[in-house]
Amino acid sequence: MVEKAYEQLKTPKSLSEIHSRFNEIGIQWNISQVKLFLEMDKKVTEKEGLYSLGEGDLQQKVIGVLDQLFKEKPKIPIKKIMEQIPFTIGKSEILDIVEESENYYTPNGVIISKK
């Protein structure tokens, strides 16, 4: 069933369009269930109200979000960063990605800073 859902997300679509497509292919979810799926699946990205399968891996997605958030600030608490990431990811996963990145580091596990 998930593979059928991913087929529909190869191109960006609105929530209502995805809901309609899911119903057409036999995934009988209400709109709230579709939205929950889209928000919880780490492979799905949302941009300007359109959902699609994200390109690249999780590390690239997180770094992309960090690049956007750090345009104006040198330090941001990880809690604030987690609120801005449009998919579900744990604090330890973010910290692992930050430690491997070229542009960011964490001095204490609570704040992420730009190098």
Side-chain angles (χ1 to χ4, degrees), residues 35-93:
K35 186 173 182 179
L36 180 63
F37 167 74
L38 296 172
E39 291 176 351
M40 296 299 293
D41 194 307
K42 292 179 183 178
K43 293 180 183 177
V44 177
T45 59
E46 183 267 332
K47 186 173 184 179
E48 298 175 10
L50 300 176
Y51 296 88
S52 64
L53 283 180
E55 295 182 19
D57 63 5
L58 182 62
Q59 184 172 357
Q60 290 172 333
K61 290 181 196 178
V62 171
I63 296 298
V65 171
L66 291 176
D67 289 344
Q68 290 178 341
L69 293 174
F70 277 92
K71 285 182 180 176
E72 299 175 8
K73 299 178 183 177
K75 299 178 183 179
I76 301 176
I78 194 165
K79 183 178 179 182
K80 295 286 185 189
I81 291 170
M82 290 181 73
E83 292 171 0
Q84 298 298 316
I85 294 180
F87 49 87
T88 304
I89 185 169
K91 179 180 176 182
S92 62
E93 289 175 293

Side-chain angles (χ1 to χ4, degrees), residues 9 14-20 22-23 27-40 44 51:
L9 295 167
S14 68
L15 178 60
S16 60
E17 186 177 1
I18 294 167
H19 179 246
S20 295
F22 278 16
N23 283 319
I27 301 174
Q28 300 296 314
W29 292 347
N30 65 40
I31 198 126
S32 296
Q33 290 170 311
V34 172
K35 186 173 182 179
L36 180 63
F37 167 74
L38 296 172
E39 291 176 351
M40 296 299 293
V44 177
Y51 296 88

Side-chain angles (χ1 to χ4, degrees), residues 97-113:
I97 291 169
V98 166
E99 290 300 318
E100 294 175 12
S101 77
E102 297 176 358
N103 299 325
Y104 304 101
Y105 72 99
T106 179
N108 57 12
V110 178
I111 292 175
I112 295 178
S113 300

